[in-house]
Amino acid sequence: GQNIDQPTEMTATEGAIVQINCTYQTSGFNGLFWYQQHAGEAPTFLSYNVLDGLEEKGRFSSFLSRSKGYSYLLLKELQMKDSASYLCAVRDNYGQNFVFGPGTRLSVLP
Amino acid sequence: EADIYQTPRYLVIGTGKKITLECSQTMGHDKMYWYQQDPGMELHLIHYSYGVNSTEKGDLSSESTVSRIRTEHFPLTLESARPSHTSQYLCASSETGGLNYGYTFGSGTRLTVV
């Protein structure tokens, strides 16, 4: 079966650091992706991990441990515009389709 | 800049009407997808295509149908809309072999059936 878990909601303060966790159990694995989705808008691609370790991209970093079925998205120097849902998605073995997690709704407070 | 387009952006229609949601992409991507997403809820795959004349049903049962006659075009049709079809419909595409890239999503169509 396919199962991806994320916290439903998180709150953080402007300028702070927040870590959004994702655990997955999927029948295959060919990469883990993070997307950002503002309310009423389409998801946009943030990051991609296929090997274990940390990928850094400006204020955003993503970590993967394949043996633990675990990833996190780290957001630094939070800004108000970072208030959005963050979706964790796993691509299947054949690189064809994605399984999306339920998303974590992040609220950044002043 | 290449992109993926969905029309209409918003649609309110009466029960029993036939509607087609349009999706076009200019990136030459072989793979295209339709997702359904209720507000604040997760994405559910309803249809996908790996190329011209290829269409498959996704994980979520849907009364809609799709076609892929041209690479760039992947319309979704509801023969008889019902209030239960009220949702946001997101179209996405991805390139074959581009394993380090995810989907590119369209802006979505927010459908309300009254």
Side-chain angles (χ1 to χ4, degrees):
Chain A
Q2 316 277 56
N3 189 49
I4 297 180
D5 285 319
Q6 302 177 236
T8 305
E9 293 190 29
M10 297 183 72
T11 303
T13 305
E14 194 173 15
I17 299 173
V18 71
Q19 177 174 312
I20 302 174
N21 295 325
C22 170
T23 56
Y24 64 90
Q25 292 173 306
T26 56
S27 55
F29 180 86
N30 198 356
L32 188 139
F33 292 72
W34 284 94
Y35 289 84
Q36 181 189 59
Q37 185 178 26
H38 286 99
E41 297 183 11
T44 55
F45 169 77
L46 282 180
S47 70
Y48 161 77
N49 295 72
V50 69
L51 300 176
D52 291 351
L54 188 68
E55 293 284 340
E56 297 190 70
K57 213 174 176 182
R59 293 190 300 115
F60 294 0
S61 303
S62 56
F63 171 84
L64 175 68
S65 168
R66 288 171 296 171
S67 62
K68 294 180 180 176
Y70 168 69
S71 172
Y72 68 72
L73 179 69
L74 193 71
L75 292 79
K76 304 175 189 173
E77 301 169 18
L78 280 173
Q79 302 174 10
M80 300 296 289
K81 67 178 183 179
D82 297 330
S83 293
S85 285
Y86 291 85
L87 311 178
C88 175
V90 172
R91 187 167 52 197
D92 65 22
N93 258 345
Y94 304 101
Q96 305 282 38
N97 292 343
F98 289 77
V99 178
F100 282 87
T104 298
R105 190 176 300 114
L106 173 67
S107 299
V108 179
L109 305 178
Chain B
E1 180 178 323
D3 216 337
I4 181 165
Y5 307 96
Q6 287 187 245
T7 57
R9 186 79 170 88
Y10 301 94
L11 179 62
V12 180
I13 61 166
T15 299
K17 299 291 186 183
K18 176 181 179 179
I19 56 166
T20 296
L21 308 185
E22 301 288 347
C23 177
S24 295
Q25 50 97 4
T26 59
M27 296 169 282
H29 287 172
D30 287 328
K31 300 174 188 173
M32 296 188 74
Y33 308 83
W34 276 103
Y35 283 85
Q36 186 174 342
Q37 185 182 34
D38 293 328
M41 304 298 286
E42 58 196 280
L43 290 151
H44 291 287
L45 180 66
I46 51 175
H47 295 283
Y48 61 96
S49 167
Y50 293 157
V52 171
N53 295 325
S54 151
T55 62
E56 302 287 344
K57 288 187 179 296
D59 305 321
L60 181 69
S61 173
S62 172
E63 294 162 346
S64 58
T65 59
V66 291
S67 63
R68 191 86 183 276
I69 299 172
R70 303 197 316 266
T71 298
E72 62 271 20
H73 195 212
F74 191 41
L76 181 144
T77 298
L78 279 165
E79 290 293 332
S80 179
R82 295 208 302 268
S84 61
H85 296 140
T86 295
S87 189
Q88 172 159 262
Y89 293 85
L90 289 163
C91 181
S93 71
S94 67
E95 56 183 301
T96 301
L99 295 183
N100 59 331
Y101 290 97
Y103 290 162
T104 300
F105 281 91
S107 300
T109 294
R110 190 172 298 280
L111 174 66
T112 302
V113 184
V114 297

